[in-house]
């Protein structure tokens, strides 16, 4: 997608340090970290929401989750980590290319969500 900042990062048009890369995904540091260690895992294929995924995409996502688990110690997340996927405006999704926040490196509190 031409105007997607994550597609530009994946294609190399916007430089970014890659902590991991394979044929399905890349992992970079979040530019606005919410934890001591905060990374983004991005599928190389563009889709903005889980609902846009095909069956093959869903299989790739399973491999992506397994890869995150495998590389977590290398990312400094050996004591645990949190995965977050924001979906849509109400969830706070700001870049509409599916991505997984990987956060850790500290004890994480669970947010106290306010009821509307």
């Amino acid at each position: 997608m031409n105007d997607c900042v994550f597609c530009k990062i994946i294609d190399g048009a916007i430089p970014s340090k890659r902590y991991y890369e394979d044929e399905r995904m890349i992992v970079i540091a979040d530019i606005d970290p919410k934890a001591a260690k905060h990374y983004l895992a991005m599928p190389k294929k563009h889709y903005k929401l889980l609902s846009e995924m095909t069956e093959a995409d869903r299989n790739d996502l399973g491999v992506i989750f397994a890869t995150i688990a495998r590389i977590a110690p290398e990312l400094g997340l050996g004591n645990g980590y949190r995965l977050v996927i924001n979906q849509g405006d109400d969830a706070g999704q700001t870049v509409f290319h599916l991505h997984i926040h990987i956060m850790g490196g500290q004890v994480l509190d669970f947010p106290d969500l306010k009821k509307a």
Side-chain angles (χ1 to χ4, degrees):
M1 180 167 268
N2 292 342
D3 60 342
C4 174
V5 67
F6 286 174
C7 286
K8 290 176 183 177
I9 291 170
I10 291 164
D11 291 343
I14 297 175
S16 182
K17 179 174 173 20
R18 295 173 188 224
Y19 290 86
Y20 179 83
E21 181 173 11
D22 65 21
E23 67 279 358
R24 288 184 181 90
M25 66 183 280
I26 68 167
V27 175
I28 65 170
D30 193 297
I31 63 168
D32 185 23
K34 306 298 185 209
K37 305 271 184 179
H38 188 163
Y39 304 95
L40 299 176
M42 294 177 243
K44 288 185 172 180
K45 182 175 178 183
H46 179 90
Y47 35 82
K48 68 179 184 178
L49 300 168
L50 291 167
S51 59
E52 294 182 354
M53 298 173 72
T54 66
E55 187 66 35
D57 296 330
R58 288 189 286 273
N59 292 336
D60 283 349
L61 194 56
V63 174
I64 288 170
F65 278 115
T67 300
I68 291 169
R70 182 175 50 79
I71 68 172
E74 299 166 29
L75 297 174
L77 303 171
N79 287 332
Y81 53 93
R82 178 174 296 155
L83 302 178
V84 175
I85 300 175
N86 297 318
Q87 292 287 278
D89 294 326
D90 284 356
Q93 186 176 8
T94 57
V95 177
F96 288 90
H97 180 121
L98 184 92
H99 56 286
I100 303 161
H101 295 264
I102 310 166
M103 296 175 281
Q106 68 184 70
V107 175
L108 298 170
D109 290 332
F110 200 81
D112 184 18
L113 299 177
K114 298 178 181 172
K115 296 183 180 171

